Amino acid sequence: MTLSPRPAQTTPGPLTDADIPAYVDALGLPGLADIHVHFLPEPMLRKVWAYFDDAGEHYGQEWPIEYRLDEQARLDILRGFGLKAIPALAYPHKPGMAQWLNAWCAEFAQRVPDAIHCGTLYPEEGVGDYVAQAVADGARLFKVHVQVGRFAPNDPLLDPAWGALSDAGMPIVIHAGSAPLPGEFTGAARIGDVLARFPLLTLVVAHLGMPEYHEFADLAQKYPNVRLDTTMCGTDFTEARSSMPSSYVERLPDLQDKVILGSDFPNIPYAYAHQLEALARLDLGDDWMRDVLWHNGARLLNLAT
């Protein structure tokens, strides 16, 4: 494999959230296309935050939530950063939750004009039907979390859902890597099995697939519709736990059209600006940053430019 040479110059990223609009403007971008943002029903969100409050026990590392704010404040902050469309990624951890979450996501999209109508799924009877219904109802983005859901993505129960999503060209943000904790079904092998059966599936592998960086990059280069999102990658917090190999950074120029900005807002233990700054300090050039921060995500989500 021939690797592209690194460019000579990258505009330094923003050091504070207040610097983000000027940074985006300096790159000549109309905004940010962040594909990995969470909005949840409030009772569920409080449970998620409570889990992170005990991160020292779960992960051996504290995880203070940076944006523990009410829903309207979080929406206003994202708009201030320059997000032109706001995902509301939600995912179930047991059977019977997905349809309830899909109904909530549809309601959220109705009352938040710049929200992206999202959906989710779980391997259970009827999953193909309710996924097809969510697509028919206007969902534009799906979220799947293999580790939290504790299910195999290649479970035959999911075949009707994967088929419906593939036919619809639906982007699916999928957390399948083994960070921050490995699970029984995490890793690239089962995702490879899904793609072998549904090769046109539009999967967006969260967190660049960390720590299986290379394995998921191989899938992105093999299958035309597989992308990778940047969520938490390269940040000081993540590098202390799951450092990105230099050999992987050297591959990123050749993945320029495959990488999409993701943040995990609001459930991050640092300022949003730090994600942008961490990507900029990879020193892959302003054209790479423009594609990652806006163009790739905007094309996938059909955002106006």
Side-chain angles (χ1 to χ4, degrees), residues 74-259:
R74 284 179 273 127
L75 288 168
D76 291 343
I77 286 171
L78 290 171
R79 291 166 182 149
F81 292 161
L83 270 68
K84 301 303 181 184
I86 299 173
L89 299 183
Y91 47 89
H93 62 270
K94 60 183 180 181
M97 283 185 68
Q99 286 180 277
W100 168 67
L101 285 171
N102 286 349
W104 183 88
C105 286
E107 184 272 333
F108 182 83
Q110 287 179 341
R111 64 184 171 82
V112 179
D114 49 351
I116 296 174
H117 182 170
C118 295
T120 191
L121 55 79
Y122 195 87
E124 56 194 337
E125 294 297 331
V127 60
D129 293 335
Y130 69 69
V131 163
Q133 187 61 55
V135 173
D137 290 343
R140 297 165 52 200
L141 179 65
F142 267 66
K143 168 66 175 179
V144 176
H145 203 309
V146 171
Q147 191 268 331
V148 170
R150 292 178 291 182
F151 63 81
N154 58 349
D155 187 322
L157 279 171
L158 287 173
D159 282 358
W162 293 138
L165 293 170
S166 180
D167 291 346
M170 181 70 64
I172 307 141
V173 176
I174 184 164
H175 185 141
S178 301
L181 289 175
E184 181 181 357
F185 305 109
T186 57
R190 288 183 173 85
I191 298 300
D193 183 51
V194 171
L195 289 165
R197 287 182 286 133
F198 301 95
L200 298 182
L201 201 59
T202 306
L203 293 184
V204 183
V205 180
H207 307 278
L208 298 178
M210 75 167 82
E212 294 96 349
Y213 290 104
H214 283 294
E215 292 89 339
F216 282 107
D218 290 344
L219 292 177
Q221 292 185 311
K222 180 177 181 179
Y223 292 98
N225 295 332
V226 175
R227 275 85 161 180
L228 309 159
D229 88 30
T230 66
T231 302
M232 300 190 75
C233 294
T235 63
D236 294 345
F237 180 86
T238 299
E239 287 295 291
R241 183 181 179 93
S242 183
S243 181
M244 189 186 301
S246 60
S247 59
Y248 181 76
V249 178
E250 291 170 358
R251 295 184 69 175
L252 285 173
D254 290 321
L255 292 164
Q256 180 167 330
D257 64 341
K258 293 279 192 169
V259 180

Side-chain angles (χ1 to χ4, degrees), residues 1 3 23 31 53 70 72 77 86 119 132 149 154 165 167 176 261 266 270 292 296:
M1 178 175 59
L3 299 176
Y23 172 70
D53 287 342
D70 65 58
Q72 188 59 54
I77 286 171
I86 299 173
N154 58 349
L165 293 170
D167 291 346
L261 174 65
Y270 44 76
V292 170
N296 295 341

